[in-house]
Amino acid sequence: MSQLKVILQFSGGAELLFDKIKKREVELPVLEKYLPQINKSEWSIRELLVWMKDNLLKERPELFLQGDSVRPGILVLINDSDWELYGELDYKIQNGDAIMFISTLHGG
Amino acid sequence: MSFCQKCKLVPGTILLRLRDLYCNDCFLTNVSHKFRACIGKNRILTQNENVLICLNGGLGSTILLNLVLNGLALNNHKKLLITPVFFHLIGTEENKSFTKLLIEQCMNQNYDINLCHISEYMIKIKSKPKLNHIPERNEEAHVEMKKKLSDMSSSTRNDYLAKIKRELFICYAKELQCNSIFTAETSTTLAIKLISNLSLGRGSQVQHDIGFCDNRNEVKILRPIKDITLEEIQHYITISQLTPLNVRHAQEYSLQSVAKLFVNDLQQNFQSTISTICKTAEKIGIQNENKHKIKCLICESGINKNQCKLTALEATNYSKIVSMAQQESTSGIGSPIEQQFSMFPHVNKYLCYACSKNYSEMKSTVPLNI
C-alpha cells in the first residue's frame, strides 16, 4: 500500500494534550502491521484515534477520548468540513487529508 | 386497560407521541381528517379539477394514494372532488422490477399511472409520458445525467435532484392538463427539509419549499399530507394492511442525512420537535412577494437583491477577492470586479444563491436557456 501522509491540527486547547504543537504532518504505518487484529487494510478515523493515543497523546487521554471516539465537545474537521458530513469514525482517510481537532471545552 | 381518549368506548390500541392513546377507528378517522382538512381549509382546488398525484412507492406516497382513493370512493358530502392523474418519475438508479411493482400498485386499484424518466430533464423536447408501461429511455440523456450527478457532492446532488423533480412535475402537469400537483411529503420530511434548506442557503424560499402550497409557477404544488407524521403513517400502514414499496436510498453522508439524524434523534426524546419545527416554518414568509421581477431559472424563486445591507453571499465573495490578493482594487462590494471574480456564477442575475452554488459545482454545462 502506498504511504499515507496526513496533516493533524489541534486548536482551542486540544493542542495542550499534544505537546502544545498545533500542526503536525504525520505518516501513518501500514494498517495490517500496526493493528493486525482488526483485519482491515484502510485507515479510518477510528484507527487514527487509536494510533494518536498510542503515539502522540502525551497526557490525560480521558480529556481527548471517550470510548472509541473523541470526547463530546471536541469538533473534528476533515479538510475543513465537519466530520459528520463524512461519516464520522468510518471515514476512510485519504493521502494528504487535513484533520483538525478543536476543543470547545475550557476551564474557567 | 385504558380507553381510546377520543371515543372513550373502546380500549386504545395505538399510542402516539408516547402519550396519546387511540383506537384503530378513531385513529384512521383522524388521519384522513388531517388530509381532508389540509385541502379543505386552503380552498385552492376547484371542483373536479385534474390533479397530478406524484407517487414513488414509498411510505408517504402509499398513504397519499390510499387517502385519495378513499376520498374518491365516498358517496356523501365528504367526497373528494378531484380527478386524479397518477404520475411517477423514474430515477436514474431505479430498476425495472421496482417500477413494475409501482405500476401494479396502481393497477390493482383500477387506476392508470403515467411514467417518465428523470433524464428527460436533459432533453429540450420531452417525450410524452407513457401509460402503465416503462417508456423507452434516451440512453444519451441517461448517461449525461448520471455523469452530471456523480460529479457533484452528495449534498448538492440531493438539492439539485429536488429542483429537477419539481421542474419536471410542473412540466408534465402541464402536459397532462393539471393545474395542481399533490406530493407526498410528511411533516417529518418537511422538518428535515427545513433544516437542510436553511443550511444550504434557501432560507428565503422556506415558504414555498416547506409550506402547503408552492405557487411559484402557475401550476401549484400542494402537500396534502404535510400534517401527518411518519409515526402516524407507520401505524396507518399496519392497520390498513398496505404494502409500501421499499424505496432504498444508498447510505450517503450529506447535509440532508445529518439533518435527518438530528431531527430524528431529538424527536425520540422530545416528541414535539417535528411539530415545533413545522409550526415555526409556517410562520416564515417573505414580505412584498409580488415585487420580485427576476426569478431564478432553476427553482423559480424570486431573486431579491437589495433587501439586506450585507448578505453572507457578499461576505463570501469579498473574502474570495481579498484572498486572491486583489489589493490594488479599492472597489467595494457590488462593483464590476466583484461580478467578475464571483464564486457564484450568474448569481442574482439568473440564479438564486443556492442554485448558483449548485451550478458552480457542475462540470458540464446545463441547459440554462440564458
Side-chain angles (χ1 to χ4, degrees), chain A residues 58-69:
Chain A
K58 286 292 147 69
E59 48 185 317
R60 292 175 292 174
E62 72 280 6
L63 289 185
F64 188 68
L65 297 166
Q66 192 175 73
D68 63 352
S69 185

Side-chain angles (χ1 to χ4, degrees), chain B residues 319-329:
Chain B
S319 161
K320 169 91 185 287
I321 295 169
V322 174
S323 313
M324 282 168 68
Q326 295 279 326
Q327 280 136 338
E328 68 273 23
S329 97

Side-chain angles (χ1 to χ4, degrees), chain B residues 75-128:
Chain B
N75 222 346
N76 55 15
H77 67 283
K78 285 187 174 174
K79 184 176 161 68
L80 188 63
L81 293 171
I82 59 165
T83 314
V85 179
F86 294 103
F87 181 75
H88 173 61
L89 211 52
I90 305 169
T92 47
E93 304 294 331
E94 191 171 311
N95 57 33
K96 282 190 174 158
S97 54
F98 179 90
T99 321
K100 281 184 183 142
L101 281 173
L102 185 70
I103 298 173
E104 264 173 44
Q105 198 184 33
C106 246
M107 300 271 276
N108 286 344
Q109 312 283 346
N110 296 322
Y111 276 95
D112 293 330
I113 183 163
N114 297 277
L115 297 138
C116 246
H117 286 287
I118 196 167
S119 48
E120 292 287 324
Y121 184 73
M122 309 301 292
I123 309 166
K124 256 208 167 128
I125 301 150
K126 303 186 185 353
S127 49
K128 290 202 160 42

Side-chain angles (χ1 to χ4, degrees), chain B residues 32-309:
Chain B
S32 70
H33 172 77
K34 278 188 182 179
F35 166 71
R36 304 189 45 79
C38 203
I39 299 174
K41 74 180 170 204
N42 288 290
R43 292 169 191 273
I44 283 177
L45 297 172
T46 49
Q47 256 193 23
N48 292 326
E49 80 168 75
N50 289 346
V51 178
L52 190 79
I53 299 178
C54 304
L55 302 176
N56 72 352
L59 291 173
S61 138
T62 308
I63 287 261
L64 181 63
L65 177 65
N66 188 266
L67 287 169
V68 168
L69 295 178
N70 285 348
L72 290 169
L74 287 175
N75 222 346
N76 55 15
H77 67 283
K78 285 187 174 174
K79 184 176 161 68
L80 188 63
L81 293 171
I82 59 165
T83 314
V85 179
F86 294 103
F87 181 75
H88 173 61
L89 211 52
I90 305 169
T92 47
E93 304 294 331
E94 191 171 311
N95 57 33
K96 282 190 174 158
S97 54
F98 179 90
T99 321
K100 281 184 183 142
L101 281 173
L102 185 70
I103 298 173
E104 264 173 44
Q105 198 184 33
C106 246
M107 300 271 276
N108 286 344
Q109 312 283 346
N110 296 322
Y111 276 95
D112 293 330
I113 183 163
N114 297 277
L115 297 138
C116 246
H117 286 287
I118 196 167
S119 48
E120 292 287 324
Y121 184 73
M122 309 301 292
I123 309 166
K124 256 208 167 128
I125 301 150
K126 303 186 185 353
S127 49
K128 290 202 160 42
K130 246 193 157 148
L131 218 54
N132 301 334
H133 286 287
I134 302 175
E136 223 169 280
R137 193 163 70 189
N138 181 325
E139 285 306 319
E140 201 184 316
H142 177 73
V143 171
E144 199 185 337
M145 180 96 178
K146 269 183 101 159
K147 162 102 182 48
K148 186 197 231 184
L149 290 174
S150 63
D151 281 346
M152 298 175 187
S153 69
S154 52
S155 308
T156 305
R157 192 180 318 131
N158 291 336
D159 185 59
Y160 185 60
L161 269 175
K163 299 302 158 209
I164 290 181
K165 283 184 188 159
R166 179 182 175 276
E167 194 176 322
L168 286 176
F169 284 158
I170 290 173
C171 168
Y172 284 110
K174 285 179 184 161
E175 172 87 37
L176 298 161
Q177 279 108 42
C178 299
N179 284 325
S180 308
I181 301 173
F182 279 1
T183 54
E185 284 133 313
T186 61
S187 65
T188 313
T189 351
L190 290 173
I192 295 163
K193 213 166 144 190
L194 175 77
I195 306 271
S196 25
N197 275 13
L198 285 182
S199 46
L200 285 166
R202 294 196 183 276
S204 61
Q205 302 157 15
V206 161
Q207 187 184 7
H208 294 127
D209 280 333
I210 319 292
F212 171 69
C213 174
D214 175 355
N215 56 6
R216 282 174 285 197
N217 194 285
E218 69 253 27
V219 178
K220 297 182 191 74
I221 299 178
L222 310 176
R223 306 184 176 91
I225 57 167
K226 77 169 184 63
D227 293 324
I228 303 173
T229 63
L230 194 62
E231 189 194 12
E232 287 168 315
I233 286 189
Q234 277 153 349
H235 285 302
Y236 190 100
I237 287 198
T238 329
I239 298 172
S240 317
Q241 294 174 334
L242 302 174
T243 41
L245 306 177
N246 206 353
V247 184
R248 206 168 267 192
H249 299 289
Q251 165 87 61
E252 248 190 342
Y253 296 100
S254 59
L255 270 174
Q256 291 86 351
S257 75
V258 172
K260 186 174 178 180
L261 277 180
F262 173 74
V263 171
N264 289 345
D265 257 16
L266 264 181
Q267 176 71 13
Q268 292 259 307
N269 293 314
F270 303 97
Q271 291 288 319
S272 36
T273 305
I274 287 172
S275 78
T276 311
I277 297 176
C278 290
K279 292 288 168 203
T280 313
E282 275 171 25
K283 295 182 184 75
I284 305 175
I286 330 159
Q287 284 180 321
N288 317 325
E289 211 191 329
N290 299 328
K291 282 189 184 168
H292 295 311
K293 288 199 184 94
I294 328 169
K295 281 188 164 186
C296 171
L297 286 176
I298 295 178
C299 71
E300 292 191 281
S301 313
I303 298 170
N304 207 352
K305 204 179 167 189
N306 302 318
Q307 209 172 36
C308 322
K309 279 185 181 147

Side-chain angles (χ1 to χ4, degrees), chain B residues 339-350:
Chain B
Q339 289 293 332
Q340 197 183 336
F341 292 103
S342 178
M343 292 170 76
F344 306 105
H346 309 301
V347 74
N348 287 346
K349 204 167 170 200
Y350 299 112

